[in-house]
Amino acid sequence: MTHTPRKRFGQNFLHDHNIIYNILSSLNTKPNQHWVEIGPGMGALTEPLLALGLQLEVVELDRDLVVYLKDKFKHHTQLQIHSADALKFDFPSLVKYDEKLRIIGNLPYNISTPLMFHLLDNAACIEDMHFMLQKEVVDRICAAPGSKKYGRLSVMMQYYCATEHLFDVPPESFDPAPKVMSAIVRLIPHQQPPVAVNNIKMLNRVVVQAFSQRRKTLRNSLKKLIEEDAIVALGIDPNLRAEVISLADFARLSNLLREKDLTEEDAELDLNGN
Ligand code: SAH
């Protein structure tokens, strides 16, 4: 079957065998692990994963590709194909015993951040995640305080997981070639939160507010939420800008907030954008 890549499903199929090999080599797979691939496409990663003898579930939105995959892998009894939208998929339902899921995906760029947060809502059942993303997004996920790329996505992702940029992947590795550089990121959900946060939505509120104008000092950007004296009382200099504030300090600031400080937008932790 020939399949014309569909833009609306963010289809960029991997065809560079060296890259596929490098991805597989970085996974440190073991027999009996329970793997989930999001967006298998035409099976560029699915096939080598199956060759390792892993138990694998795939979640694919494009029904034509589901038909294609069912035929292509009809002899593989350790593969389960789910025709579904990963953004709405009930990942914990895949857990059979008390094993944790290992997740992998060359993700459509337009859904990558909401999908990661959908998965992190269920972080307790996830061992780790390896994703192909836009390099720009990987850089932001992994950025440390003081870096220009450090922002809301860095703080929120690092609250949930240990993050690691593994390697870059050039546009020519895909068909069709995307306009931008890609990269592989490894995300390992923390067993215990690295910092004490009373309410994750409040952490998000403080971070959104602090980075809404990156060039402003905390004194100004947080004016509506937190008194300057309260910032000083935490031992945090109110003259600093958000881009140098650590996750630990954002956590302490967020613990000063109250329910009434949350807005309706905070109900959804949609971290698209910065
Ligand atoms: N893993 C393949 C395909 C990557 S392209 C490869 O590396 O070659 C991205 C894939 O994600 C496509 O197959 C696309 O149909 C699928 N996809 C897009 N949106 C999705 C969603 N919401 N849920 C599940 N799969 C999705």
Side-chain angles (χ1 to χ4, degrees), residues 9 11-14 37 39-41 59-61 85-86 106 108 111:
F9 290 145
Q11 293 177 350
N12 297 95
F13 299 114
L14 256 176
E37 187 190 0
V59 181
E60 175 56 61
L61 180 62
D85 181 349
N106 169 14
I111 65 158

Side-chain angles (χ1 to χ4, degrees), residues 250-261:
F250 275 123
R252 295 192 306 136
L253 288 165
S254 78
N255 290 341
L256 297 175
L257 263 58
R258 303 199 213 122
E259 285 295 333
K260 68 173 175 50
D261 297 319

Side-chain angles (χ1 to χ4, degrees), residues 127-246:
E127 167 119 22
D128 61 11
M129 304 185 265
H130 289 80
F131 292 130
M132 172 90 74
L133 303 172
Q134 236 169 299
K135 175 175 161 53
E136 170 65 24
V137 175
V138 172
D139 287 345
R140 284 197 273 130
I141 288 173
C142 300
S147 142
K148 279 214 177 79
K149 308 251 164 148
Y150 185 66
R152 180 190 187 193
L153 190 61
S154 329
V155 179
M156 298 309 289
M157 288 299 284
Q158 292 170 28
Y159 171 72
Y160 284 108
C161 353
T163 67
E164 190 182 349
H165 167 203
L166 296 186
F167 54 88
D168 292 343
V169 181
E172 317 78 78
S173 306
F174 303 87
D175 178 28
K179 290 200 181 67
V180 295
M181 195 73 173
S182 302
I184 302 281
V185 68
R186 173 184 290 146
L187 305 170
I188 307 178
H190 296 301
Q191 301 286 329
Q192 301 290 332
V195 293
V197 168
N198 295 345
N199 182 331
I200 181 74
K201 289 178 182 158
M202 291 179 184
L203 176 65
N204 185 55
R205 172 100 305 261
V206 164
V207 172
V208 167
Q209 197 68 42
F211 283 103
S212 60
Q213 287 153 305
R214 294 181 73 92
R215 314 301 303 164
K216 279 196 176 177
T217 62
L218 291 183
R219 173 192 295 112
N220 286 321
S221 62
L222 296 183
K223 199 178 266 169
K224 286 191 198 132
L225 283 179
I226 305 174
E227 301 271 335
E228 181 176 347
D229 289 352
I231 302 177
V232 174
L234 290 178
I236 299 171
D237 180 352
N239 294 310
L240 295 175
R241 293 173 179 158
E243 62 197 22
V244 301
I245 302 299
S246 66

Side-chain angles (χ1 to χ4, degrees), residues 63-80:
R63 296 209 180 123
D64 290 344
L65 286 177
V66 169
V67 171
Y68 170 86
L69 291 164
K70 282 193 169 153
D71 181 58
K72 178 169 181 168
F73 297 116
K74 58 181 175 237
H75 301 302
H76 291 264
T77 49
Q78 82 272 38
L79 174 68
Q80 295 256 4

Side-chain angles (χ1 to χ4, degrees), residues 3 5-15 20 23 37-46 58-63 65 69 82-89 91 104-111 115 132 173-175:
H3 177 84
R6 294 191 166 115
K7 215 171 174 181
R8 75 192 151 98
F9 290 145
Q11 293 177 350
N12 297 95
F13 299 114
L14 256 176
H15 69 119
I20 293 169
I23 296 172
E37 187 190 0
I38 298 169
M42 304 192 70
L45 296 169
T46 321
V58 299
V59 181
E60 175 56 61
L61 180 62
D62 185 334
R63 296 209 180 123
L65 286 177
L69 291 164
H82 303 270
S83 179
D85 181 349
L87 284 172
K88 299 184 188 141
F89 193 76
F91 289 94
I104 183 167
N106 169 14
L107 298 185
Y109 295 152
N110 55 338
I111 65 158
L115 181 60
M132 172 90 74
S173 306
F174 303 87
D175 178 28

